[in-house]
Amino acid sequence: MRFVTDNGLVEPVFGSLGTDHVQLVPQSRGCIDDELVDVLQEAFPAVQFRLHANVRLTVGQRLADLSNYESHADYFIEAARVSQRLRAPVYSAHSGRRRNATFSQLVDNTLRCQDLFGCPVAIEGQYPSARGEELLVSSWAEYGQLLEANVFFAIDLSHLSILASASGDRSMALVQELVSSPRCIEVHVSDNDGRWDQHKVCDRPTWWSSVLPSIHKNCVVFSEGNHRSNIERCV
């Protein structure tokens, strides 16, 4: 089976994928600098690009997230500048590690980051880590807190698959509330086996498929499936 057509990328569960909005992500090769921003905007004028998480802005990977916002202030200042050059409508970032911040501090850092970027900044929740790291927003209780907090957020449904597998609870009512909230401004979709974030292409319906119609109308849904590896496997 092939997942690429003459018209672009296709996922079996969702059909053709649009390119109105595109994330620039940490897994991308190379660095995002002014020259690349200008090239992207000239080559794809109809595409609205946005930065996600600790996307590479310099050589080497920075583990910058919303829990260690102060420690990586220089990274976020540069990210905000690049985001504004892209005219990005939104920035989303990982919640980070519990050792770096409380939930309350996470919210404060996010609001400060939002002031810096001059656009909505969304907290992306996490999941129980197999490596034993304590990640912020990695339990159903904390996702409930996120829903009640006065911040924007991004829901990665593949992260919730890991949480559901680890907890033995799918909390469907909460998941539906999360994706239907007007503060949910991104939803990320990919597949995994419930153990770690594998970024598989969605080639079959999964337990969270039933909540997709409830996603808020102003929310942007991003496929985070690794189409490159899928193409290499299928051709």
Side-chain angles (χ1 to χ4, degrees):
M1 181 183 296
R2 291 176 62 91
F3 297 106
V4 176
T5 72
D6 291 339
N7 296 322
L9 291 171
V10 172
E11 288 198 18
V13 171
F14 305 112
S16 297
L17 301 181
T19 56
D20 292 345
H21 297 272
V22 172
Q23 286 184 321
L24 303 177
V25 300
Q27 295 86 352
S28 300
R29 297 174 182 176
C31 299
I32 310 299
D33 56 16
D34 288 355
E35 181 180 1
L36 180 57
V37 167
D38 294 344
V39 167
L40 289 174
Q41 291 186 319
E42 182 176 353
F44 307 103
V47 177
Q48 180 64 77
F49 293 95
R50 65 180 71 179
L51 304 182
H52 174 54
N54 56 321
V55 59
R56 297 172 192 266
L57 304 177
T58 58
V59 176
Q61 187 72 60
R62 291 283 292 271
L63 297 179
D65 54 52
L66 292 170
S67 74
N68 58 22
Y69 177 78
E70 289 188 357
S71 301
H72 293 277
D74 60 325
Y75 173 87
F76 286 105
I77 289 170
E78 177 63 7
R81 189 189 68 79
V82 173
S83 178
Q84 290 162 6
R85 191 179 184 94
L86 280 167
R87 297 189 291 276
V90 168
Y91 171 65
S92 58
H94 298 139
S95 52
R97 290 159 177 77
R98 197 178 307 281
R99 67 172 181 264
N100 296 327
T102 64
F103 186 89
S104 177
Q105 289 168 333
L106 169 67
V107 170
D108 288 343
N109 289 347
T110 302
L111 295 176
R112 291 167 59 197
C113 187
Q114 187 165 271
D115 288 341
L116 176 65
F117 273 71
C119 69
V121 170
I123 300 172
E124 182 182 4
Q126 299 292 290
Y127 49 86
S129 171
R131 294 178 295 181
E133 292 180 291
E134 283 285 330
L135 302 177
L136 277 166
V137 193
S138 60
S139 68
W140 291 121
E142 284 185 311
Y143 273 99
Q145 286 182 273
L146 188 62
L147 180 64
E148 298 301 324
N150 188 29
V151 288
F152 296 107
F153 54 86
I155 295 299
D156 188 319
L157 291 170
S158 69
H159 290 181
L160 298 191
S161 286
I162 301 169
L163 173 54
S165 179
S167 66
D169 178 12
R170 292 179 174 175
S171 291
M172 293 297 295
L174 176 57
V175 176
Q176 187 156 346
E177 282 190 88
L178 286 163
V179 300
S180 63
S181 168
R183 289 193 299 276
C184 179
I185 54 178
E186 290 183 2
V187 166
H188 305 165
V189 295
S190 64
D191 201 5
N192 60 53
D193 63 4
R195 294 182 297 174
W196 59 285
D197 199 12
Q198 295 162 307
H199 290 280
K200 292 182 178 180
V201 169
C202 293
D203 58 6
R204 59 186 175 84
T206 187
W207 64 269
W208 44 255
S209 297
S210 63
V211 307
L212 295 177
S214 299
I215 293 175
H216 192 271
K217 64 179 181 179
N218 294 327
C219 177
V220 178
V221 180
F222 288 104
S223 167
E224 292 194 335
N226 186 343
H227 284 267
R228 180 180 296 276
S229 64
N230 208 60
I231 293 165
E232 292 169 350
R233 176 173 59 85
C234 296
V235 295

